[in-house]
Amino acid sequence: MLVWAKQRKQYADLNASASVDSCRFWVNSPSLCALCIVFCLSLSSCAFFLPNSQLPILALINFILLIQGYFLGGKLKGLIVLFSTQLTITLLLYMLFHDSERINEGVLAVVRILLAIIPGWWLSITCSPHRIGEVLSWCLPHKWAFVLAACFSLLPRLTLEVKEIYQMQVMRGAQIQPKDLSRPKNWSELAYCVLYPLLIQLLKLSKQMALAAQLRSFGQHKKPTHWPE
């Protein structure tokens, strides 16, 4: 009963956030959104191509983006979990193949990946998905821009789906809790119990989106409009 009530609360929060108009986003102008996309692409590229001596400057810029994104309602838990998991796996692999001689290289590689991810996280919080789709349609086919914008807008729902699938599988007795995943033999159970159901949910969701777009005659007009036009 408690789990059911918790799920109802999660869906209520998600529906409430989805019903809020684009005014909750910091950037709603297409021109400003285009500048933000170029800015984020530049930062993500610099994370891989800048020399090590200039990484602190890039880290400072990303830290400012983290602070702004946090005050705009972004959640840092996902980034922290991703960084911790990636760092643990990378260090284990470096220890396995290179002993402890090149651990610093592994840490630096994970830090660079994190610095490349943060701008995209900030972009998804500050810019409306509708405006992102409109900007992408300037240089991409409208169908491709629609798919990318839909991916941005559906990230919260996908996150909720992952949480629910994980909680239900744990209640069924699946050995996929953090202490269980410390044993490599349980990794296959994680894929079978969480990743496969998530893939099925993604296929169902993509079919529903395609049907909704077809019923709205998407792709039949040379110059489609963008919400809230």
Side-chain angles (χ1 to χ4, degrees):
M1 188 69 179
L2 180 61
V3 175
W4 178 81
K6 183 177 180 181
Q7 291 178 355
R8 286 293 298 267
K9 182 179 183 300
Q10 289 175 336
Y11 272 117
D13 294 341
L14 183 61
N15 292 331
S17 63
S19 63
V20 179
D21 60 9
S22 59
C23 293
R24 67 187 180 91
F25 290 98
W26 185 55
V27 176
N28 288 298
S29 170
S31 57
L32 289 179
C33 183
L35 291 176
C36 290
I37 292 176
V38 174
F39 175 68
C40 291
L41 289 176
S42 302
L43 288 181
S44 298
S45 301
C46 290
F48 296 106
F49 297 111
L50 281 181
N52 296 339
S53 59
Q54 298 182 8
L55 281 183
I57 301 176
L58 183 63
L60 178 60
I61 298 175
N62 280 269
F63 180 71
I64 296 174
L65 296 183
L66 282 175
I67 295 176
Q68 185 186 25
Y70 176 76
F71 283 107
L72 289 175
K75 296 183 179 180
L76 301 178
K77 182 180 178 181
L79 291 176
I80 295 174
V81 172
L82 177 63
F83 176 75
S84 303
T85 305
Q86 225 171 18
L87 182 63
T88 302
I89 295 175
T90 303
L91 292 182
L92 289 176
L93 291 176
Y94 267 78
M95 289 289 292
L96 181 62
F97 293 105
H98 304 291
D99 294 331
S100 59
E101 300 175 355
R102 302 174 61 181
I103 288 183
N104 292 336
E105 295 181 8
V107 175
L108 182 61
V110 175
V111 170
R112 285 183 178 272
I113 293 175
L114 180 65
L115 293 178
I117 292 175
I118 290 176
W121 172 84
W122 175 82
L123 180 68
S124 66
I125 295 171
T126 57
C127 295
S128 168
H130 308 298
R131 297 287 76 80
I132 294 177
E134 183 177 357
V135 172
L136 292 177
S137 65
W138 295 350
C139 56
L140 294 175
H142 294 293
K143 293 183 179 180
W144 293 11
F146 168 75
V147 171
L148 293 176
C151 292
F152 272 106
S153 61
L154 290 176
L155 283 178
R157 186 171 294 276
L158 294 180
T159 303
L160 180 60
E161 291 287 347
V162 173
K163 290 181 179 179
E164 289 187 344
I165 293 173
Y166 178 81
Q167 291 173 357
M168 288 187 291
Q169 297 294 356
V170 169
M171 292 176 63
R172 291 179 59 249
Q175 297 180 351
I176 56 176
Q177 298 188 45
K179 62 180 181 180
D180 299 321
L181 295 179
S182 60
R183 306 183 185 93
K185 67 177 183 179
N186 294 327
W187 294 356
S188 59
E189 189 168 359
L190 176 66
Y192 180 78
C193 294
V194 178
L195 298 184
Y196 289 168
L198 178 62
L199 178 61
I200 295 174
Q201 289 295 106
L202 290 176
L203 292 176
K204 291 173 59 178
L205 184 59
S206 62
K207 185 177 180 180
Q208 292 173 359
M209 291 180 58
L211 180 60
Q214 184 180 5
L215 293 176
R216 289 167 172 79
S217 302
F218 179 78
Q220 298 182 10
H221 301 279
K222 295 183 179 180
K223 189 177 179 181
T225 58
H226 299 273
W227 180 266
E229 294 180 3

